[in-house]
Amino acid sequence: MDLDQIVRAVRGARRITVLTGAGVSAASGIPTFRGPDGLWKQFRAEQLATPEAFERDPRLVWEWYDWRRQKVAACQPNAAHRVLAAWSQRWPTCHIITQNVDDLHLRVGTRDLVRLHGSIWDVSCWNGCAAAPSRWRDERVPLDEVPPRCPHCGGLVRPAVVWFGESLDPADVEAAHAATASCDLFISAGTSAIVYPAAAFLHDAKRRGATTAEINLETTPASEIVDIAVQGKVEEVLEQVEAALGA
Ligand code: OAD
């Protein structure tokens, strides 16, 4: 594998941006979406992760999220999260953009984190009632009522994650664009690189002249366009990179 190349690239970079996906949390025991045991093999996204699904059956949607929240609560961050957190602390110009909603990057103190798809611990009032903040944190595990109710209007509460068919938070998109535009090394780690707009950031970075790299167990659409493709477990590869850097 191109480990030496990625070590050289990290060593020589002034501004690193890393896009992470479900593969980064796989070693923590959180299922990915599209692998053989992926969530989208067992469940249909359109029945669980769309506004229409919630409108149709909020209890079903919340049962699924409550189950996932319990799973996430029982998991610990792994070496991939720890190395990326260390980079973000060591190099103020290092930015991490994640598609993961599990907040494991946050639990190890990652700085400058953009959570493109939100957090599984955030909720918002489904009716958007005026008394409620736009979102708030609810860390009850398991929830004591499903579906949970808005403490302000008594209506339904929804998971404040980005569902299929919904727009990303413009502030997050802007922050991710800024991180992409300013980097000289862009690493796509543990993501199938097919969900947009996240997948577009790699292309943007390449167009702007950044060195691009991928770390993934398998080949993805990104593998063909990156300068450095490292096939392997991201938690092992990042640990090896960190060791080679002498950190
Ligand atoms: P996917 O499940 O699509 O892809 C996970 C990727 O991680 C795959 O390419 C695997 O080969 C790779 N992988 C698995 N374990 C790994 C490991 N230990 N080391 C390295 N690579 C590993 O997950 P995402 O790309 O994150 O969106 O999916 C993107 C979005 O699609 C998610 O945020 C979610 C989903 O539908 C929404 O829910 C809006």
Side-chain angles (χ1 to χ4, degrees):
M1 69 175 165
D2 292 321
L3 188 69
D4 292 347
Q5 273 184 288
I6 199 164
V7 170
R8 271 200 303 275
V10 171
R11 199 175 269 142
R14 284 176 300 115
R15 294 165 176 272
I16 303 174
T17 293
V18 186
L19 171 71
T20 70
V24 163
S25 293
S28 295
I30 298 177
T32 61
F33 292 95
R34 298 182 179 78
D37 303 320
L39 292 171
W40 296 151
K41 289 281 187 308
Q42 307 163 52
F43 305 102
R44 290 179 49 187
E46 61 272 25
Q47 286 178 352
L48 295 167
T50 63
E52 294 75 22
F54 190 77
E55 183 92 60
R56 204 165 41 236
D57 196 343
R59 173 177 296 276
L60 177 73
V61 171
W62 263 116
E63 279 169 357
W64 191 61
Y65 276 93
D66 196 32
W67 170 75
R68 286 179 62 200
R69 285 159 57 107
Q70 290 177 53
K71 248 186 140 45
V72 170
C75 289
Q76 296 305 321
N78 65 59
H81 301 108
R82 284 192 292 275
V83 170
L84 294 176
W87 289 7
S88 75
Q89 291 161 11
R90 195 182 308 149
W91 302 312
T93 52
C94 176
H95 301 279
I96 314 295
I97 306 168
T98 190
Q99 299 163 87
N100 300 343
V101 296
D102 55 38
D103 276 4
L104 292 187
H105 284 301
L106 272 189
R107 271 165 57 184
V108 284
T110 305
R111 298 178 52 196
D112 278 315
L113 178 69
V114 179
R115 292 173 297 169
L116 272 185
H117 295 164
S119 165
I120 201 160
W121 302 110
D122 284 349
V123 299
S124 59
C125 176
W126 174 244
N127 301 322
C129 80
S134 61
R135 69 184 56 186
W136 67 93
R137 218 161 164 83
D138 182 341
E139 296 183 340
R140 287 176 294 167
V141 179
L143 287 162
D144 46 28
E145 50 169 355
V146 174
R149 296 272 156 190
C150 174
H152 303 280
C153 70
L156 286 170
V157 154
R158 63 163 282 177
V161 295
V162 178
W163 280 331
F164 290 97
E166 292 188 311
S167 303
L168 276 58
D169 183 327
D172 289 337
V173 176
E174 200 181 312
H177 271 305
T180 302
S182 63
C183 73
D184 56 2
L185 172 62
F186 186 98
I187 303 175
S188 177
T191 172
S192 56
I194 56 169
V195 174
Y196 283 78
F201 295 130
L202 172 70
H203 297 263
D204 280 359
K206 191 174 175 72
R207 220 174 10 250
R208 289 169 182 274
T211 301
T212 53
E214 177 183 54
I215 307 170
N216 200 303
L217 271 182
E218 300 166 355
T219 57
T220 74
S223 314
E224 283 178 16
I225 73 148
V226 292
D227 302 304
I228 307 164
V230 183
Q231 210 163 349
K233 292 183 173 174
V234 64
E235 64 279 9
E236 292 178 5
V237 173
L238 285 176
E239 257 197 333
Q240 287 163 6
V241 172
E242 190 70 338
L245 291 174

mmCIF file of all heavy atoms in Angstrom, residues 20-24 26-27 31-35 38 40 45 49 65 68 99-101 117 161-164 189-195 198 214-220 232-235, ligand 1:
data_model
loop_
_atom_site.group_PDB
_atom_site.id
_atom_site.type_symbol
_atom_site.label_atom_id
_atom_site.label_comp_id
_atom_site.label_asym_id
_atom_site.label_seq_id
_atom_site.Cartn_x
_atom_site.Cartn_y
_atom_site.Cartn_z
ATOM 1 N N THR A 20 -14.517 12.348 6.593
ATOM 2 C CA THR A 20 -14.695 10.991 7.121
ATOM 3 C C THR A 20 -16.120 10.483 6.883
ATOM 4 O O THR A 20 -17.063 11.249 6.751
ATOM 5 C CB THR A 20 -14.386 10.907 8.631
ATOM 6 O OG1 THR A 20 -15.414 11.584 9.369
ATOM 7 C CG2 THR A 20 -13.041 11.486 8.970
ATOM 8 N N GLY A 21 -16.206 9.152 6.844
ATOM 9 C CA GLY A 21 -17.501 8.492 6.686
ATOM 10 C C GLY A 21 -17.616 7.328 7.654
ATOM 11 O O GLY A 21 -16.760 7.149 8.550
ATOM 12 N N ALA A 22 -18.649 6.525 7.457
ATOM 13 C CA ALA A 22 -18.985 5.474 8.414
ATOM 14 C C ALA A 22 -17.835 4.494 8.680
ATOM 15 O O ALA A 22 -17.746 3.923 9.768
ATOM 16 C CB ALA A 22 -20.216 4.719 7.923
ATOM 17 N N GLY A 23 -16.942 4.320 7.695
ATOM 18 C CA GLY A 23 -15.824 3.390 7.876
ATOM 19 C C GLY A 23 -14.918 3.787 9.037
ATOM 20 O O GLY A 23 -14.265 2.932 9.642
ATOM 21 N N VAL A 24 -14.894 5.073 9.353
ATOM 22 C CA VAL A 24 -14.043 5.550 10.449
ATOM 23 C C VAL A 24 -14.588 5.081 11.805
ATOM 24 O O VAL A 24 -13.837 4.902 12.757
ATOM 25 C CB VAL A 24 -13.901 7.099 10.361
ATOM 26 C CG1 VAL A 24 -13.401 7.699 11.642
ATOM 27 C CG2 VAL A 24 -12.983 7.463 9.207
ATOM 28 N N ALA A 26 -16.371 2.217 12.056
ATOM 29 C CA ALA A 26 -16.661 0.776 11.973
ATOM 30 C C ALA A 26 -15.934 0.002 13.076
ATOM 31 O O ALA A 26 -16.515 -0.884 13.722
ATOM 32 C CB ALA A 26 -16.284 0.245 10.589
ATOM 33 N N ALA A 27 -14.667 0.364 13.329
ATOM 34 C CA ALA A 27 -13.899 -0.358 14.347
ATOM 35 C C ALA A 27 -14.438 -0.109 15.758
ATOM 36 O O ALA A 27 -14.107 -0.837 16.691
ATOM 37 C CB ALA A 27 -12.427 0.047 14.272
ATOM 38 N N PRO A 31 -22.347 0.160 12.789
ATOM 39 C CA PRO A 31 -22.502 -0.379 11.439
ATOM 40 C C PRO A 31 -22.383 0.703 10.363
ATOM 41 O O PRO A 31 -22.823 1.832 10.565
ATOM 42 C CB PRO A 31 -23.920 -0.969 11.420
ATOM 43 C CG PRO A 31 -24.502 -0.782 12.773
ATOM 44 C CD PRO A 31 -23.562 0.024 13.601
ATOM 45 N N THR A 32 -21.783 0.350 9.219
ATOM 46 C CA THR A 32 -21.747 1.263 8.078
ATOM 47 C C THR A 32 -23.103 1.178 7.363
ATOM 48 O O THR A 32 -23.999 0.454 7.808
ATOM 49 C CB THR A 32 -20.604 0.897 7.113
ATOM 50 O OG1 THR A 32 -20.841 -0.416 6.624
ATOM 51 C CG2 THR A 32 -19.249 0.970 7.817
ATOM 52 N N PHE A 33 -23.254 1.907 6.274
ATOM 53 C CA PHE A 33 -24.541 1.925 5.570
ATOM 54 C C PHE A 33 -24.598 0.934 4.423
ATOM 55 O O PHE A 33 -25.618 0.316 4.176
ATOM 56 C CB PHE A 33 -24.830 3.347 5.045
ATOM 57 C CG PHE A 33 -25.079 4.313 6.170
ATOM 58 C CD1 PHE A 33 -24.067 5.098 6.677
ATOM 59 C CD2 PHE A 33 -26.335 4.405 6.750
ATOM 60 C CE1 PHE A 33 -24.293 5.963 7.732
ATOM 61 C CE2 PHE A 33 -26.573 5.272 7.808
ATOM 62 C CZ PHE A 33 -25.550 6.050 8.299
ATOM 63 N N ARG A 34 -23.456 0.797 3.689
ATOM 64 C CA ARG A 34 -23.542 0.084 2.422
ATOM 65 C C ARG A 34 -22.730 -1.196 2.328
ATOM 66 O O ARG A 34 -22.734 -1.842 1.297
ATOM 67 C CB ARG A 34 -23.148 1.023 1.264
ATOM 68 C CG ARG A 34 -24.096 2.184 1.168
ATOM 69 C CD ARG A 34 -23.829 3.134 0.050
ATOM 70 N NE ARG A 34 -24.845 4.181 0.087
ATOM 71 C CZ ARG A 34 -24.855 5.209 0.928
ATOM 72 N NH1 ARG A 34 -23.869 5.360 1.794
ATOM 73 N NH2 ARG A 34 -25.829 6.086 0.915
ATOM 74 N N GLY A 35 -22.034 -1.593 3.385
ATOM 75 C CA GLY A 35 -21.277 -2.849 3.319
ATOM 76 C C GLY A 35 -22.223 -4.040 3.375
ATOM 77 O O GLY A 35 -23.441 -3.868 3.436
ATOM 78 N N GLY A 38 -24.305 -3.668 6.148
ATOM 79 C CA GLY A 38 -24.664 -2.250 6.262
ATOM 80 C C GLY A 38 -26.134 -2.036 6.600
ATOM 81 O O GLY A 38 -26.989 -2.877 6.310
ATOM 82 N N TRP A 40 -28.251 -0.086 5.294
ATOM 83 C CA TRP A 40 -29.178 -0.019 4.146
ATOM 84 C C TRP A 40 -29.382 -1.396 3.489
ATOM 85 O O TRP A 40 -30.130 -1.512 2.542
ATOM 86 C CB TRP A 40 -28.726 1.017 3.111
ATOM 87 C CG TRP A 40 -28.712 2.451 3.596
ATOM 88 C CD1 TRP A 40 -27.887 3.430 3.137
ATOM 89 C CD2 TRP A 40 -29.571 3.086 4.577
ATOM 90 N NE1 TRP A 40 -28.152 4.619 3.786
ATOM 91 C CE2 TRP A 40 -29.173 4.434 4.675
ATOM 92 C CE3 TRP A 40 -30.607 2.644 5.396
ATOM 93 C CZ2 TRP A 40 -29.785 5.349 5.545
ATOM 94 C CZ3 TRP A 40 -31.208 3.548 6.271
ATOM 95 C CH2 TRP A 40 -30.808 4.866 6.324
ATOM 96 N N ALA A 45 -33.953 3.045 3.463
ATOM 97 C CA ALA A 45 -33.742 4.447 3.837
ATOM 98 C C ALA A 45 -35.031 5.245 3.720
ATOM 99 O O ALA A 45 -35.336 6.078 4.572
ATOM 100 C CB ALA A 45 -32.660 5.054 2.952
ATOM 101 N N ALA A 49 -35.430 7.323 6.939
ATOM 102 C CA ALA A 49 -34.557 8.507 6.944
ATOM 103 C C ALA A 49 -35.010 9.540 5.918
ATOM 104 O O ALA A 49 -34.200 10.078 5.157
ATOM 105 C CB ALA A 49 -33.109 8.082 6.699
ATOM 106 N N TYR A 65 -34.068 5.226 15.488
ATOM 107 C CA TYR A 65 -33.060 6.155 16.012
ATOM 108 C C TYR A 65 -32.726 5.847 17.461
ATOM 109 O O TYR A 65 -31.565 5.954 17.881
ATOM 110 C CB TYR A 65 -33.500 7.620 15.818
ATOM 111 C CG TYR A 65 -33.129 8.091 14.431
ATOM 112 C CD1 TYR A 65 -34.023 7.994 13.385
ATOM 113 C CD2 TYR A 65 -31.843 8.575 14.167
ATOM 114 C CE1 TYR A 65 -33.666 8.376 12.100
ATOM 115 C CE2 TYR A 65 -31.472 8.952 12.890
ATOM 116 C CZ TYR A 65 -32.385 8.857 11.858
ATOM 117 O OH TYR A 65 -32.013 9.217 10.593
ATOM 118 N N ARG A 68 -30.315 3.070 17.381
ATOM 119 C CA ARG A 68 -28.986 3.520 16.949
ATOM 120 C C ARG A 68 -28.308 4.341 18.054
ATOM 121 O O ARG A 68 -27.100 4.241 18.264
ATOM 122 C CB ARG A 68 -29.082 4.352 15.660
ATOM 123 C CG ARG A 68 -29.354 3.469 14.450
ATOM 124 C CD ARG A 68 -29.468 4.298 13.181
ATOM 125 N NE ARG A 68 -28.254 5.020 12.855
ATOM 126 C CZ ARG A 68 -28.215 6.083 12.044
ATOM 127 N NH1 ARG A 68 -29.326 6.556 11.507
ATOM 128 N NH2 ARG A 68 -27.068 6.683 11.776
ATOM 129 N N GLN A 99 -19.324 12.934 7.827
ATOM 130 C CA GLN A 99 -20.711 12.618 7.471
ATOM 131 C C GLN A 99 -21.364 11.828 8.599
ATOM 132 O O GLN A 99 -22.547 11.520 8.547
ATOM 133 C CB GLN A 99 -20.749 11.776 6.190
ATOM 134 C CG GLN A 99 -20.153 12.457 4.985
ATOM 135 C CD GLN A 99 -19.844 11.457 3.885
ATOM 136 O OE1 GLN A 99 -20.695 11.134 3.051
ATOM 137 N NE2 GLN A 99 -18.629 10.946 3.864
ATOM 138 N N ASN A 100 -20.573 11.481 9.615
ATOM 139 C CA ASN A 100 -21.091 10.634 10.698
ATOM 140 C C ASN A 100 -21.882 11.461 11.704
ATOM 141 O O ASN A 100 -21.501 12.577 12.031
ATOM 142 C CB ASN A 100 -19.937 9.919 11.412
ATOM 143 C CG ASN A 100 -19.156 9.026 10.457
ATOM 144 O OD1 ASN A 100 -19.648 8.712 9.380
ATOM 145 N ND2 ASN A 100 -17.964 8.643 10.838
ATOM 146 N N VAL A 101 -22.943 10.862 12.208
ATOM 147 C CA VAL A 101 -23.790 11.565 13.184
ATOM 148 C C VAL A 101 -23.520 11.079 14.608
ATOM 149 O O VAL A 101 -24.201 11.481 15.547
ATOM 150 C CB VAL A 101 -25.302 11.399 12.841
ATOM 151 C CG1 VAL A 101 -25.630 12.043 11.505
ATOM 152 C CG2 VAL A 101 -25.725 9.924 12.851
ATOM 153 N N HIS A 117 -23.917 16.009 8.405
ATOM 154 C CA HIS A 117 -25.237 15.381 8.491
ATOM 155 C C HIS A 117 -25.861 15.515 9.878
ATOM 156 O O HIS A 117 -26.821 14.820 10.191
ATOM 157 C CB HIS A 117 -25.154 13.904 8.051
ATOM 158 C CG HIS A 117 -24.788 13.753 6.597
ATOM 159 N ND1 HIS A 117 -24.346 12.577 6.038
ATOM 160 C CD2 HIS A 117 -24.793 14.654 5.588
ATOM 161 C CE1 HIS A 117 -24.096 12.761 4.756
ATOM 162 N NE2 HIS A 117 -24.347 14.010 4.451
ATOM 163 N N VAL A 161 -31.063 15.351 12.361
ATOM 164 C CA VAL A 161 -30.049 14.901 11.408
ATOM 165 C C VAL A 161 -30.561 15.238 10.016
ATOM 166 O O VAL A 161 -31.749 15.539 9.846
ATOM 167 C CB VAL A 161 -29.793 13.375 11.516
ATOM 168 C CG1 VAL A 161 -29.189 13.011 12.864
ATOM 169 C CG2 VAL A 161 -31.083 12.579 11.274
ATOM 170 N N VAL A 162 -29.669 15.185 9.047
ATOM 171 C CA VAL A 162 -30.091 15.469 7.678
ATOM 172 C C VAL A 162 -30.623 14.177 7.074
ATOM 173 O O VAL A 162 -29.928 13.162 7.028
ATOM 174 C CB VAL A 162 -28.907 16.008 6.836
ATOM 175 C CG1 VAL A 162 -29.355 16.259 5.403
ATOM 176 C CG2 VAL A 162 -28.361 17.283 7.465
ATOM 177 N N TRP A 163 -31.867 14.226 6.628
ATOM 178 C CA TRP A 163 -32.471 13.064 5.982
ATOM 179 C C TRP A 163 -32.381 13.198 4.469
ATOM 180 O O TRP A 163 -32.128 14.296 3.939
ATOM 181 C CB TRP A 163 -33.948 12.971 6.402
ATOM 182 C CG TRP A 163 -34.142 12.355 7.757
ATOM 183 C CD1 TRP A 163 -33.349 11.428 8.366
ATOM 184 C CD2 TRP A 163 -35.224 12.629 8.664
ATOM 185 N NE1 TRP A 163 -33.864 11.103 9.603
ATOM 186 C CE2 TRP A 163 -35.009 11.814 9.808
ATOM 187 C CE3 TRP A 163 -36.353 13.448 8.626
ATOM 188 C CZ2 TRP A 163 -35.884 11.802 10.893
ATOM 189 C CZ3 TRP A 163 -37.215 13.452 9.706
ATOM 190 C CH2 TRP A 163 -36.991 12.631 10.825
ATOM 191 N N PHE A 164 -32.604 12.091 3.786
ATOM 192 C CA PHE A 164 -32.616 12.119 2.320
ATOM 193 C C PHE A 164 -33.680 13.112 1.862
ATOM 194 O O PHE A 164 -34.779 13.159 2.433
ATOM 195 C CB PHE A 164 -32.889 10.730 1.750
ATOM 196 C CG PHE A 164 -31.725 9.799 1.958
ATOM 197 C CD1 PHE A 164 -31.708 8.910 3.031
ATOM 198 C CD2 PHE A 164 -30.614 9.840 1.124
ATOM 199 C CE1 PHE A 164 -30.616 8.075 3.252
ATOM 200 C CE2 PHE A 164 -29.523 9.015 1.337
ATOM 201 C CZ PHE A 164 -29.525 8.136 2.399
ATOM 202 N N ALA A 189 -11.591 9.515 3.960
ATOM 203 C CA ALA A 189 -11.300 8.366 4.812
ATOM 204 C C ALA A 189 -12.563 7.606 5.201
ATOM 205 O O ALA A 189 -13.488 8.195 5.771
ATOM 206 C CB ALA A 189 -10.569 8.829 6.080
ATOM 207 N N GLY A 190 -12.620 6.313 4.850
ATOM 208 C CA GLY A 190 -13.724 5.469 5.310
ATOM 209 C C GLY A 190 -15.088 5.914 4.816
ATOM 210 O O GLY A 190 -16.073 5.779 5.535
ATOM 211 N N THR A 191 -15.126 6.436 3.600
ATOM 212 C CA THR A 191 -16.425 6.798 3.030
ATOM 213 C C THR A 191 -16.553 6.200 1.630
ATOM 214 O O THR A 191 -15.558 6.139 0.893
ATOM 215 C CB THR A 191 -16.653 8.328 2.977
ATOM 216 O OG1 THR A 191 -17.857 8.591 2.237
ATOM 217 C CG2 THR A 191 -15.496 9.082 2.352
ATOM 218 N N SER A 192 -17.771 5.776 1.292
ATOM 219 C CA SER A 192 -17.995 5.201 -0.041
ATOM 220 C C SER A 192 -17.936 6.285 -1.108
ATOM 221 O O SER A 192 -17.925 5.981 -2.298
ATOM 222 C CB SER A 192 -19.324 4.455 -0.083
ATOM 223 O OG SER A 192 -20.376 5.316 0.300
ATOM 224 N N ALA A 193 -17.884 7.544 -0.704
ATOM 225 C CA ALA A 193 -17.671 8.665 -1.626
ATOM 226 C C ALA A 193 -18.728 8.734 -2.721
ATOM 227 O O ALA A 193 -18.429 9.079 -3.864
ATOM 228 C CB ALA A 193 -16.257 8.588 -2.233
ATOM 229 N N ILE A 194 -19.954 8.410 -2.358
ATOM 230 C CA ILE A 194 -21.014 8.480 -3.374
ATOM 231 C C ILE A 194 -22.165 9.386 -2.959
ATOM 232 O O ILE A 194 -23.078 9.621 -3.746
ATOM 233 C CB ILE A 194 -21.579 7.077 -3.733
ATOM 234 C CG1 ILE A 194 -22.087 6.360 -2.483
ATOM 235 C CG2 ILE A 194 -20.556 6.236 -4.457
ATOM 236 C CD1 ILE A 194 -22.888 5.107 -2.816
ATOM 237 N N VAL A 195 -22.170 9.858 -1.710
ATOM 238 C CA VAL A 195 -23.279 10.702 -1.268
ATOM 239 C C VAL A 195 -22.865 12.173 -1.387
ATOM 240 O O VAL A 195 -21.848 12.588 -0.832
ATOM 241 C CB VAL A 195 -23.701 10.362 0.181
ATOM 242 C CG1 VAL A 195 -24.750 11.343 0.699
ATOM 243 C CG2 VAL A 195 -24.254 8.936 0.245
ATOM 244 N N ALA A 198 -21.180 15.747 0.016
ATOM 245 C CA ALA A 198 -19.898 15.405 0.649
ATOM 246 C C ALA A 198 -18.874 14.904 -0.378
ATOM 247 O O ALA A 198 -17.705 15.307 -0.359
ATOM 248 C CB ALA A 198 -20.126 14.354 1.728
ATOM 249 N N GLU A 214 -6.937 8.776 -0.474
ATOM 250 C CA GLU A 214 -8.073 8.017 0.063
ATOM 251 C C GLU A 214 -7.554 6.903 0.961
ATOM 252 O O GLU A 214 -6.532 6.274 0.651
ATOM 253 C CB GLU A 214 -8.896 7.394 -1.067
ATOM 254 C CG GLU A 214 -10.025 6.536 -0.546
ATOM 255 C CD GLU A 214 -10.827 5.843 -1.640
ATOM 256 O OE1 GLU A 214 -10.227 5.144 -2.487
ATOM 257 O OE2 GLU A 214 -12.063 6.010 -1.646
ATOM 258 N N ILE A 215 -8.253 6.680 2.059
ATOM 259 C CA ILE A 215 -7.958 5.513 2.903
ATOM 260 C C ILE A 215 -9.261 4.743 3.018
ATOM 261 O O ILE A 215 -10.255 5.255 3.548
ATOM 262 C CB ILE A 215 -7.474 5.908 4.318
ATOM 263 C CG1 ILE A 215 -6.294 6.882 4.249
ATOM 264 C CG2 ILE A 215 -7.096 4.662 5.123
ATOM 265 C CD1 ILE A 215 -5.925 7.510 5.598
ATOM 266 N N ASN A 216 -9.293 3.539 2.506
ATOM 267 C CA ASN A 216 -10.530 2.745 2.519
ATOM 268 C C ASN A 216 -10.177 1.272 2.404
ATOM 269 O O ASN A 216 -9.170 0.909 1.806
ATOM 270 C CB ASN A 216 -11.435 3.165 1.341
ATOM 271 C CG ASN A 216 -12.883 2.756 1.564
ATOM 272 O OD1 ASN A 216 -13.190 1.586 1.761
ATOM 273 N ND2 ASN A 216 -13.777 3.734 1.550
ATOM 274 N N LEU A 217 -11.025 0.449 2.968
ATOM 275 C CA LEU A 217 -10.853 -1.002 2.853
ATOM 276 C C LEU A 217 -10.982 -1.456 1.411
ATOM 277 O O LEU A 217 -10.383 -2.446 0.999
ATOM 278 C CB LEU A 217 -11.972 -1.701 3.640
ATOM 279 C CG LEU A 217 -11.760 -2.016 5.105
ATOM 280 C CD1 LEU A 217 -12.988 -2.751 5.636
ATOM 281 C CD2 LEU A 217 -10.519 -2.884 5.275
ATOM 282 N N GLU A 218 -11.820 -0.737 0.663
ATOM 283 C CA GLU A 218 -12.139 -1.156 -0.710
ATOM 284 C C GLU A 218 -11.874 -0.012 -1.672
ATOM 285 O O GLU A 218 -11.628 1.106 -1.252
ATOM 286 C CB GLU A 218 -13.641 -1.482 -0.797
ATOM 287 C CG GLU A 218 -14.074 -2.575 0.133
ATOM 288 C CD GLU A 218 -15.588 -2.631 0.278
ATOM 289 O OE1 GLU A 218 -16.263 -1.731 -0.291
ATOM 290 O OE2 GLU A 218 -16.065 -3.549 0.939
ATOM 291 N N THR A 219 -12.011 -0.327 -2.966
ATOM 292 C CA THR A 219 -11.943 0.772 -3.933
ATOM 293 C C THR A 219 -13.315 1.413 -4.028
ATOM 294 O O THR A 219 -14.345 0.765 -3.823
ATOM 295 C CB THR A 219 -11.501 0.291 -5.327
ATOM 296 O OG1 THR A 219 -12.400 -0.715 -5.742
ATOM 297 C CG2 THR A 219 -10.087 -0.235 -5.315
ATOM 298 N N THR A 220 -13.320 2.712 -4.284
ATOM 299 C CA THR A 220 -14.560 3.487 -4.391
ATOM 300 C C THR A 220 -14.420 4.382 -5.631
ATOM 301 O O THR A 220 -13.345 4.417 -6.240
ATOM 302 C CB THR A 220 -14.748 4.404 -3.162
ATOM 303 O OG1 THR A 220 -13.809 5.496 -3.287
ATOM 304 C CG2 THR A 220 -14.525 3.686 -1.849
ATOM 305 N N GLY A 232 -6.850 -0.224 3.160
ATOM 306 C CA GLY A 232 -6.608 -0.788 4.478
ATOM 307 C C GLY A 232 -7.606 -0.232 5.472
ATOM 308 O O GLY A 232 -8.465 0.587 5.122
ATOM 309 N N LYS A 233 -7.475 -0.698 6.708
ATOM 310 C CA LYS A 233 -8.370 -0.216 7.762
ATOM 311 C C LYS A 233 -7.906 1.165 8.199
ATOM 312 O O LYS A 233 -6.734 1.336 8.576
ATOM 313 C CB LYS A 233 -8.341 -1.168 8.955
ATOM 314 C CG LYS A 233 -8.948 -2.512 8.650
ATOM 315 C CD LYS A 233 -8.959 -3.378 9.887
ATOM 316 C CE LYS A 233 -9.724 -4.658 9.609
ATOM 317 N NZ LYS A 233 -9.653 -5.608 10.704
ATOM 318 N N VAL A 234 -8.811 2.104 8.187
ATOM 319 C CA VAL A 234 -8.419 3.487 8.454
ATOM 320 C C VAL A 234 -7.822 3.647 9.848
ATOM 321 O O VAL A 234 -6.869 4.416 10.042
ATOM 322 C CB VAL A 234 -9.624 4.438 8.201
ATOM 323 C CG1 VAL A 234 -10.772 4.175 9.151
ATOM 324 C CG2 VAL A 234 -9.206 5.892 8.282
ATOM 325 N N GLU A 235 -8.326 2.869 10.816
ATOM 326 C CA GLU A 235 -7.792 3.004 12.186
ATOM 327 C C GLU A 235 -6.346 2.503 12.244
ATOM 328 O O GLU A 235 -5.542 3.030 13.018
ATOM 329 C CB GLU A 235 -8.700 2.277 13.201
ATOM 330 C CG GLU A 235 -8.829 0.781 13.068
ATOM 331 C CD GLU A 235 -9.832 0.315 11.991
ATOM 332 O OE1 GLU A 235 -10.314 1.163 11.224
ATOM 333 O OE2 GLU A 235 -10.098 -0.897 11.922
HETATM 334 P P1 OAD B 1 -20.943 3.888 3.638
HETATM 335 O O1 OAD B 1 -21.523 2.780 4.439
HETATM 336 O O2 OAD B 1 -21.592 4.212 2.339
HETATM 337 O O3 OAD B 1 -19.420 3.578 3.323
HETATM 338 C C1 OAD B 1 -18.521 3.173 4.303
HETATM 339 C C2 OAD B 1 -17.167 3.020 3.650
HETATM 340 O O4 OAD B 1 -16.234 2.704 4.646
HETATM 341 C C3 OAD B 1 -17.093 1.904 2.599
HETATM 342 O O5 OAD B 1 -16.468 2.415 1.430
HETATM 343 C C4 OAD B 1 -16.217 0.818 3.263
HETATM 344 O O6 OAD B 1 -15.390 0.147 2.321
HETATM 345 C C5 OAD B 1 -15.388 1.656 4.192
HETATM 346 N N1 OAD B 1 -14.922 0.986 5.407
HETATM 347 C C6 OAD B 1 -15.599 0.158 6.250
HETATM 348 N N2 OAD B 1 -14.847 -0.179 7.313
HETATM 349 C C7 OAD B 1 -13.641 0.446 7.142
HETATM 350 C C8 OAD B 1 -12.436 0.496 7.894
HETATM 351 N N3 OAD B 1 -12.297 -0.133 9.060
HETATM 352 N N4 OAD B 1 -11.410 1.232 7.385
HETATM 353 C C9 OAD B 1 -11.523 1.871 6.200
HETATM 354 N N5 OAD B 1 -12.643 1.873 5.462
HETATM 355 C C10 OAD B 1 -13.692 1.173 5.924
HETATM 356 O O7 OAD B 1 -20.857 5.161 4.591
HETATM 357 P P2 OAD B 1 -20.666 6.696 4.195
HETATM 358 O O8 OAD B 1 -19.779 6.861 3.025
HETATM 359 O O9 OAD B 1 -20.314 7.395 5.442
HETATM 360 O O10 OAD B 1 -26.178 9.702 5.067
HETATM 361 O O11 OAD B 1 -22.144 7.080 3.796
HETATM 362 C C11 OAD B 1 -22.436 8.395 3.471
HETATM 363 C C12 OAD B 1 -23.825 8.739 3.898
HETATM 364 O O12 OAD B 1 -24.764 7.804 3.364
HETATM 365 C C13 OAD B 1 -24.082 8.641 5.397
HETATM 366 O O13 OAD B 1 -23.695 9.794 6.110
HETATM 367 C C14 OAD B 1 -25.563 8.460 5.460
HETATM 368 C C15 OAD B 1 -25.697 7.406 4.404
HETATM 369 O O14 OAD B 1 -26.925 7.233 3.844
HETATM 370 C C16 OAD B 1 -27.368 10.051 5.563
HETATM 371 O O15 OAD B 1 -27.978 9.357 6.352
HETATM 372 C C17 OAD B 1 -27.848 11.370 5.073
#
